[in-house]
Amino acid sequence: MSNQTDAKVLRAKDTRSNFGTRGWLLIAGMMICTFVAGACGNDGLNTIIPQFVNQFGWDRASLTVFASISGYISAIALAVMGVIVQKFGARNLLVFTMACLAAAIFAWGYVTTIPAYLAVIIVLYCVSNGVGLCMGILVSNWFPTKKGLVMGWTTMGFNLATVGINWLLVFGWDHFGWHGGFNLFALAALLGFLMITLFVKEFPEECGCFPDNDRSLSPERAQALREEGVRYTRTSPWTVKKLLATPQTWLIAIVYGCIMMMVVGCISQLVPTVMSYGYSQTFALGCMSVAGACGFFGSYLTGWIDTRFGTKRATMIMMGWEILTVIVFVAPLGNWSVFVATVMLGMTIGGANNLCSSMTTQVFGRYDQKKAYSIIWTIFTVVRSCGVGLVGVLAEKTGGYTVPWAVLGGIIAIALFLCTRISETCIGRVDMEE
């Protein structure tokens, strides 16, 4: 199949959410998984870090830096997971990571020393970042031309985390004690584990379904094409060495890593940011919920734009919106600008998570996406992980959150230029039909 035809295949104009029963079960399971992953790495830190500070008198800045350190360490784990996913599949790896998340979150409530806290955070970051790797691959396997729209739905789990995780934790702490909040959180991870174990397969053809829920092919023909695709992946020319030598790999990883660097840096410190303007913790938690609620719309809208107009355009719109969000926050417009900026930030939460996987599939195709995404997601994670520590350290040094937000805005402006250098031409394999 030619690159011109590939591009048409990948840029489908069908923006209907007709995913089929098994497709919707995949999406529901991934929503729960992204809720847990997002809550571990970003949103939950708004209340978990202050809770440990109050409980044990630990230094807040050190705990935020631990999050970034754990993100860097998780890049090593992701490199290992990239090998595992090639051999055992994304579905099996996701089952394993969700089981590990449930156990680690439960253990979080029993931490009493800083080394133990760091050990738990490292495990949480390693396996929660593995969730993102598996999600991108599974969505590409099931929905190669609707990947943007489906990611718009699945990443609503990140918005759910922004809306609900801090309230869930506070409810658990208030009603069931110190361990209670973590135990409720662990139950959510266990639910995700059960959903993936019971209802999700690696490819739609394995359960009698069709890629993109497209029933124009007979089940026999769809399965034959799938088997041919598996044979191709065993001899694919896209080795790790070739991927690392390809500019598109680095451009995609860095651009989308920067997008998420801003999101995780801001959202992980949103509650103390709002409180620094003199608002109460209750109001700040309310802002988190509003941001998450706005994120539902932003997530779906980003996926729709991606599917309808292409991933690159959706990405540039997203980055322009992030820069505008920073301007509203840092401009001397009065305290009301904090709330407006919070709403604008919320619009990016889900949408920002949609695009990396979608662009990888756009450039490398359905059958080469898994290898490419394993490499890209590892580099992406290193870049993204700078966000939490960067905001925490700069806020500690400057005594506020204006400088950290402004720095992140400058990083997005640089990444926007890099985005213009990404070519959407497909250089991998999309389909087995010639």
Side-chain angles (χ1 to χ4, degrees):
M1 182 177 285
S2 68
N3 283 339
Q4 289 81 4
T5 306
D6 289 349
K8 291 179 182 177
V9 170
L10 281 173
R11 199 169 291 148
K13 302 302 182 183
D14 183 1
T15 56
R16 295 173 296 172
S17 297
N18 54 343
F19 306 131
T21 301
R22 293 301 291 261
W24 276 112
L25 284 171
L26 167 71
I27 291 169
M30 291 307 311
M31 279 186 181
I32 298 172
C33 293
T34 55
F35 167 84
V36 175
C40 285
N42 305 309
D43 303 288
L45 297 183
N46 279 276
T47 49
I48 290 174
I49 287 179
Q51 198 76 1
F52 274 100
V53 171
N54 294 333
Q55 187 84 356
F56 301 108
W58 297 343
D59 178 62
R60 179 193 296 267
S62 297
L63 297 186
T64 60
V65 171
F66 287 166
S68 287
I69 292 173
S70 301
Y72 303 142
I73 294 173
S74 74
I76 301 173
L78 281 172
V80 176
M81 290 182 193
V83 176
I84 293 173
V85 82
Q86 301 298 325
K87 186 172 184 179
F88 297 103
R91 182 262 184 191
N92 291 332
L93 179 58
L94 184 57
V95 169
F96 173 76
T97 57
M98 291 308 298
C100 290
L101 276 175
I105 293 168
F106 177 79
W108 213 355
Y110 291 87
V111 164
T112 56
T113 66
I114 288 181
Y117 178 92
L118 179 58
V120 169
I121 285 289
I122 289 172
V123 172
L124 287 170
Y125 265 70
C126 288
V127 292
S128 64
N129 284 329
V131 170
L133 170 65
C134 297
M135 176 179 67
I137 293 172
L138 285 172
V139 168
S140 178
N141 288 346
W142 277 72
F143 301 98
T145 72
K146 287 190 171 184
K147 75 279 186 198
L149 187 62
V150 175
M151 289 293 285
W153 283 101
T154 59
T155 54
M156 287 183 184
F158 291 113
N159 306 318
L160 284 171
T162 305
V163 171
I165 185 56
N166 293 297
W167 295 109
L168 176 68
L169 288 167
V170 170
F171 176 84
W173 290 326
D174 288 347
H175 291 83
F176 305 107
W178 172 249
H179 304 305
F182 295 101
N183 292 344
L184 289 177
F185 190 7
L187 283 176
L190 182 60
L191 178 59
F193 165 81
L194 293 174
M195 286 286 292
I196 300 302
T197 301
L198 296 175
F199 301 117
V200 174
K201 299 292 185 181
E202 185 78 7
F203 290 94
E205 294 91 338
E206 293 178 8
C207 52
C209 299
F210 303 86
D212 292 313
N213 195 35
D214 180 2
R215 298 177 179 275
S216 61
L217 293 175
S218 67
E220 294 77 16
R221 182 56 180 155
Q223 184 61 32
L225 290 172
R226 170 70 207 125
E227 291 171 358
E228 190 177 346
V230 170
R231 288 192 293 272
Y232 164 77
T233 58
R234 296 189 184 122
T235 59
S236 170
W238 289 100
T239 62
V240 172
K241 182 178 179 180
K242 183 175 179 179
L243 286 165
L244 290 174
T246 301
Q248 296 292 69
T249 299
W250 292 93
L251 285 170
I252 293 171
I254 292 172
V255 166
Y256 293 101
C258 287
I259 290 175
M260 282 306 300
M261 183 198 301
M262 179 200 166
V263 171
V264 302
C266 294
I267 207 66
S268 66
Q269 301 291 301
L270 184 58
V271 169
T273 297
V274 175
M275 291 178 66
S276 72
Y277 274 69
Y279 295 108
S280 67
Q281 184 184 44
T282 301
F283 180 81
L285 288 172
C287 286
M288 282 283 291
S289 297
V290 170
C294 293
F296 288 111
F297 176 72
S299 184
Y300 178 81
L301 179 62
T302 302
W304 187 91
I305 294 173
D306 181 345
T307 303
R308 183 66 180 84
F309 298 105
T311 309
K312 188 171 181 177
R313 289 182 182 177
T315 301
M316 296 180 75
I317 292 171
M318 168 67 68
M319 297 172 86
W321 184 259
E322 285 190 321
I323 293 171
L324 184 60
T325 300
V326 170
I327 292 172
V328 171
F329 180 84
V330 302
L333 301 175
N335 285 1
W336 64 267
S337 65
V338 177
F339 182 78
V340 174
T342 297
V343 171
M344 296 176 69
L345 178 65
M347 292 287 290
T348 72
I349 295 170
N353 282 286
N354 298 0
L355 297 167
C356 184
S357 170
S358 187
M359 181 61 83
T360 304
T361 306
Q362 177 73 40
V363 173
F364 290 97
R366 184 191 189 202
Y367 292 100
D368 290 302
Q369 192 263 8
K370 182 159 65 174
K371 283 187 178 180
Y373 197 59
S374 298
I375 302 297
I376 287 171
W377 189 252
T378 301
I379 302 169
F380 166 98
T381 298
V382 173
V383 178
R384 180 192 64 185
S385 298
C386 298
V388 178
L390 180 65
V391 172
V393 171
L394 288 177
E396 188 78 11
K397 296 295 185 182
T398 63
Y401 290 89
T402 300
V403 171
W405 278 57
V407 169
L408 290 174
I411 291 171
I412 293 299
I414 296 171
L416 179 57
F417 168 75
L418 294 176
C419 183
T420 65
R421 315 308 300 168
I422 298 176
S423 171
E424 290 185 283
T425 301
C426 184
I427 55 179
R429 191 69 177 263
V430 178
D431 207 333
M432 288 298 110
E433 297 218 90
E434 299 294 341

